């Protein structure tokens, strides 16, 4: 599994699989929720118009300059460890890592896409345990984390 997952996602230069046992996952086989979230373009900021009562419609500048509005990106993560103790330690460390970042910022790099998102942590919107934490042995879970990208690259 390491050969497949290693180097797929780097956050602030850290390989999340090697460091925390975390990787991107999908809701179900063949899903593309992560790719859709990463590649979805942001909305544009609204243009300012003048609404004069005596004129029809609104008047806008002769040249409209589009600008991106901030966007939220939700990624689906899974986490795996061979022992309960290792899983708990990695889970706590990974969530702290996401919340603190580097001065609060996270550079999420997807080498295969040649794309880096500059974001900050917003929320863990869903958490699902895949194994029983009160039993020793292999542990796994999945969760969705929302990030805000203030200056979208798309």
């Amino acid at each position: 599994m390491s050969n497949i997952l290693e180097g797929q996602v780097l956050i602030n230069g850290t390989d999340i699989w090697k460091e925390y046992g975390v990787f991107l996952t999908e809701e179900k086989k063949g899903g593309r929720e992560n790719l859709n979230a990463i590649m979805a373009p942001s909305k544009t900021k609204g243009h300012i118009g003048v609404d004069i009562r005596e004129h029809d419609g609104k008047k806008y500048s002769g040249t409209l300059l589009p600008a991106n509005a901030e966007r939220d990106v939700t990624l689906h993560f899974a986490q795996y460890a061979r022992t309960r103790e290792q899983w708990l330690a990695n889970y706590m460390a990974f969530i702290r890592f996401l919340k603190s970042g580097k001065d609060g910022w996270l550079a999420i790099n997807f080498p295969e896409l040649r794309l880096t998102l500059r974001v900050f942590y917003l929320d863990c919107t869903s958490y699902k345990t895949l194994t029983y934490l009160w039993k020793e042995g292999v542990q796994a879970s999945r969760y969705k984390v929302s990030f805000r990208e203030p200056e979208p690259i798309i």
Side-chain angles (χ1 to χ4, degrees), residues 91-148:
Y91 175 71
M92 299 295 187
F94 183 63
I95 297 301
R96 278 193 301 271
F97 173 70
L98 291 180
K99 287 183 175 184
S100 62
K102 182 177 181 187
D103 297 328
W105 291 102
L106 300 166
I108 305 177
N109 179 259
F110 307 96
E112 289 286 321
L113 299 174
R114 296 185 182 146
L115 189 69
T116 300
L117 305 178
R118 185 173 185 262
V119 299
F120 57 87
Y121 177 93
L122 278 183
D123 191 13
C124 182
T125 60
S126 168
Y127 175 87
K128 185 175 183 182
T129 301
L130 301 175
T131 56
Y132 296 105
L133 277 176
W134 50 86
K135 292 188 178 180
E136 189 52 57
V138 171
Q139 300 295 326
S141 65
R142 56 189 302 158
Y143 40 93
K144 298 177 191 176
V145 178
S146 292
F147 303 93
R148 173 135 318 138

Side-chain angles (χ1 to χ4, degrees), residues 42-63:
S42 64
K43 294 179 181 179
T44 58
K45 290 182 177 181
H47 297 288
I48 304 297
V50 178
D51 193 3
I52 301 171
R53 169 68 187 97
E54 294 76 24
H55 297 141
D56 293 334
K58 267 189 176 179
K59 303 298 177 200
Y60 291 91
S61 172
T63 303

Side-chain angles (χ1 to χ4, degrees), residues 79-98:
Q79 188 160 6
Y80 165 87
R82 293 187 186 277
T83 67
R84 179 178 57 189
E85 185 176 284
Q86 181 186 18
W87 185 91
L88 283 167
N90 285 348
Y91 175 71
M92 299 295 187
F94 183 63
I95 297 301
R96 278 193 301 271
F97 173 70
L98 291 180

